[in-house]
């Protein structure tokens, strides 16, 4: 068989065509671009009941416009995990973070109050605090030495005399809404959301777990080549993938009695535990019941008796996501270190299994063969809730 190679001009035409198709809004007036994005959002039917529902379209995982809109409509306007409470116990304790591409600093003031600010100097926009965490009696920008108090007031402006119409009082750090709940500190960079960090039903359920009995042990970070929603979908499939992908975890869960319960903006998946499964997993994942909480849009709480881990799902790009795991145990003394590390190793193995499948899903979402899939009534009520909440936020933003 003879394979004909097109002349170079044909390759150039194909490249230009591919670019045009990948950037359909490049030469489109802004109002038409918004209309196009609105049609894309409206292509998902959020009113369909679970039995008739499909997933959100594949383009929502691959279209840069959706990703940019999510930063503003979802991550800027919701409570976002910023720090563990134990990182901010003492006056002067601070952490820095990034929410929806915005730099943020959270600090415990000299009056013991928690405050959060955009980590942006009012002089020439450098980051004021450059370390991930620490303790300081003031916040001093390393660029030109502008200095702020722990309450965000501008206190020092070297070599700035003679500047007209300048008031220090008007040039403090710009504040960000901050709140505490259970073991965590949260911020909202747009404005304080109408919803609390956790609705009443969720507060009561999590309080009953007694999380004050567990203590932070270790943090691990994972980077995945997939859209952030792929990871959340995987988490919310009601254990659908567990028997097929996580053999060790499946062996200690009573899969037939796995339950899914939706709140307004959270989902609880729960399963009784069994004692006849994988010995290595059972040694570090035990107790009467496993609880898996997802808080819209991107935070999860996974609790077994005496063991807690949390996941923060951070969008980095349209096809790149960081997942931050914090591991907590009832006993974090040296004598319990071996068991705790074994538990972290089990979590690491499960995460690697999820990483591989999530990246495979992202590749499939780019295929012309796929647009949307149906949902399991028995298993995927949480995913259905996620997609409807996301659609509502994107729709409202437009």
């Amino acid at each position: 068989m003879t394979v004909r190679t097109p002349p170079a001009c044909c390759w150039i035409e194909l490249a230009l065509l591919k670019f045009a198709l990948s950037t359909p809004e490049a030469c489109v007036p802004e109002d038409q671009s918004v209309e196009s994005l609105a049609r894309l959002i409206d292509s998902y039917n959020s009113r369909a009941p679970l039995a008739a529902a499909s997933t959100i379209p594949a383009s929502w995982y691959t279209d840069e416009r959706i990703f940019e809109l999510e930063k503003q409509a979802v991550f800027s306007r919701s409570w976002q995990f910023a720090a563990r409470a134990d990182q901010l116990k003492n006056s002067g304790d601070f952490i820095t973070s990034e929410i929806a591409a915005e730099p943020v600093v959270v600090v415990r003031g000299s009056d013991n109050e928690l405050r959060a600010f955009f980590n942006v100097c009012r002089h020439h926009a450098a980051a004021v605090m450059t370390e991930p965490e620490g303790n300081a009696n003031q916040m001093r920008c390393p660029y030109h030495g502008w200095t702020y108090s722990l309450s965000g007031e501008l206190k020092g402006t070297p070599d700035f005399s003679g500047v007209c119409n300048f008031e220090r009082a008007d040039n403090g750090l710009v504040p960000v809404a901050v709140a505490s709940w259970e073991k965590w500190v949260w911020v909202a960079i747009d404005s304080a959301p109408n919803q609390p960090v956790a609705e009443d039903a969720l507060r009561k359920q999590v309080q009953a777990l007694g999380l004050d009995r567990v203590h932070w042990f270790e943090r691990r970070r994972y980077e995945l080549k997939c859209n952030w929603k792929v990871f959340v979908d995987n988490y919310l499939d009601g254990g659908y993938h567990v028997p097929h992908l996580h053999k060790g975890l499946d062996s200690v869960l009573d899969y037939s009695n796995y339950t899914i319960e939706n709140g307004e903006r959270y989902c609880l998946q729960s399963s009784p535990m069994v004692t006849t499964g994988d010995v290595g997993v059972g040694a570090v994942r035990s107790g009467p019941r496993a609880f898996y909480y997802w808080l819209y849009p991107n935070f999860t709480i996974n609790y077994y008796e005496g063991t807690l881990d949390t996941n923060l799902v951070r969008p980095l790009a349209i096809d790149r996501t960081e997942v931050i795991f914090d591991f907590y145990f009832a006993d974090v003394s040296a004598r319990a270190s071996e068991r705790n590390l074994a538990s972290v190793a089990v979590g690491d193995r499960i995460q690697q299994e999820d990483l591989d499948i999530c990246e495979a899903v992202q590749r499939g979402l780019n295929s012309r063969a796929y647009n949307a899939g149906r949902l399991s009534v028995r298993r995927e009520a949480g995913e259905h809730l996620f997609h409807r909440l996301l659609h509502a936020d994107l729709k409202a933003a437009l």
Side-chain angles (χ1 to χ4, degrees):
M1 183 177 69
T2 302
V3 177
R4 297 185 183 273
T5 303
C9 61
C10 293
W11 288 119
I12 294 171
E13 290 174 1
L14 286 170
L16 290 171
L17 176 61
K18 182 177 181 181
F19 176 79
L21 291 173
S22 66
T23 56
E25 310 302 330
C27 299
V28 177
E30 184 177 350
D31 57 344
Q32 292 183 33
S33 177
V34 171
E35 288 176 7
S36 172
L37 185 56
R39 286 194 297 272
L40 179 58
I41 292 170
D42 285 340
S43 65
Y44 173 68
N45 181 9
S46 64
R47 298 178 301 278
L50 179 57
S54 295
T55 64
I56 52 178
S59 56
W60 286 30
Y61 301 85
T62 61
D63 193 307
E64 288 283 355
R65 296 170 303 169
I66 293 288
F67 182 70
E68 291 302 317
L69 186 59
E70 287 169 345
K71 289 182 187 177
Q72 304 306 318
V74 179
F75 292 96
S76 294
R77 299 180 182 178
S78 61
W79 288 111
Q80 289 290 302
F81 168 85
R84 305 186 313 272
D86 65 79
Q87 294 175 286
L88 296 162
K89 292 187 297 185
N90 304 311
S91 174
D93 285 350
F94 71 89
I95 66 93
T96 59
S97 186
E98 188 175 278
I99 310 294
E102 289 279 5
V104 172
V105 58
V106 186
V107 62
R108 177 75 68 180
S110 54
D111 57 359
N112 208 40
E113 289 295 316
L114 271 178
R115 294 181 179 86
F117 307 94
F118 288 99
N119 189 20
V120 178
C121 184
R122 299 297 299 278
H123 182 222
H124 283 329
V128 177
M129 306 302 282
T130 57
E131 296 297 322
E133 62 182 296
N135 185 276
N137 56 18
Q138 61 183 6
M139 295 183 282
R140 186 174 187 273
C141 178
Y143 193 9
H144 296 109
W146 280 36
T147 304
Y148 303 84
S149 72
L150 298 180
S151 56
E153 300 165 307
L154 179 59
K155 293 295 188 182
T157 53
D159 295 325
F160 218 64
S161 59
V163 177
C164 299
N165 303 317
F166 178 81
E167 296 290 340
R168 285 188 182 181
D170 299 331
N171 285 274
L173 294 178
V174 177
V176 169
V178 64
S180 298
W181 174 60
E182 286 286 345
K183 305 182 79 66
W184 310 292
V185 176
W186 311 76
V187 298
I189 63 172
D190 197 343
S191 59
N194 294 328
Q195 306 89 5
V197 173
E199 56 203 74
D200 288 343
L202 176 60
R203 286 177 179 271
K204 291 175 182 177
Q205 291 176 25
V206 173
Q207 185 178 30
L209 299 178
L211 299 188
D212 57 318
R213 295 193 293 267
V214 295
H215 313 283
W216 183 78
F217 176 73
E218 184 174 310
R219 169 170 286 190
R220 294 204 176 183
R221 297 172 181 266
Y222 301 86
E223 191 166 313
L224 293 75
K225 296 175 182 176
C226 69
N227 185 271
W228 70 278
K229 297 185 292 294
V230 172
F231 187 89
V232 175
D233 287 345
N234 178 71
Y235 186 89
L236 288 172
D237 76 359
Y240 206 171
H241 70 285
V242 171
H244 314 285
L245 203 63
H246 304 312
K247 302 294 185 182
L249 179 61
D250 179 57
S251 73
V252 299
L253 298 178
D254 182 357
Y255 183 70
S256 62
N257 288 304
Y258 197 107
T259 61
I260 300 97
E261 173 192 330
N262 284 342
E264 290 185 21
R265 298 171 67 84
Y266 78 93
C267 176
L268 166 61
Q269 303 172 91
S270 181
S271 174
M273 306 286 288
V274 298
T275 57
T276 56
D278 182 294
V279 174
V281 178
V284 294
R285 297 288 189 276
S286 59
R289 198 168 189 92
F291 298 89
Y292 307 113
Y293 285 94
W294 165 77
L295 284 64
Y296 179 78
N298 63 328
F299 189 75
T300 75
I301 302 167
N302 312 300
Y303 182 80
Y304 308 87
E305 190 171 65
T307 301
L308 166 72
D309 68 77
T310 63
N311 310 155
L312 175 67
V313 186
R314 294 187 64 242
L316 302 178
I318 186 69
D319 57 357
R320 199 157 53 89
T321 299
E322 181 184 48
V323 183
I324 301 174
F325 276 63
D326 280 317
F327 294 90
Y328 303 75
F329 300 101
D331 185 355
V332 291
S333 66
R335 65 176 179 273
S337 180
E338 184 177 352
R339 182 184 186 278
N340 293 344
L341 288 172
S343 181
V344 171
V346 168
D348 181 73
R349 189 174 79 200
I350 294 170
Q351 176 61 10
Q352 291 298 331
E353 293 164 348
D354 281 330
L355 186 152
D356 291 340
I357 199 65
C358 286
E359 293 186 349
V361 168
Q362 186 69 30
R363 292 191 292 271
L365 288 165
N366 282 286
S367 170
R368 71 185 71 184
Y370 183 86
N371 178 53
R374 297 299 298 275
L375 294 170
S376 164
V377 175
R378 169 68 180 88
R379 295 286 173 183
E380 295 178 295
E383 193 171 340
H384 187 222
L385 173 66
F386 171 41
H387 293 170
R388 287 181 290 129
L389 290 172
L390 180 65
H391 176 267
D393 276 352
L394 297 183
K395 183 80 172 176
L398 286 179

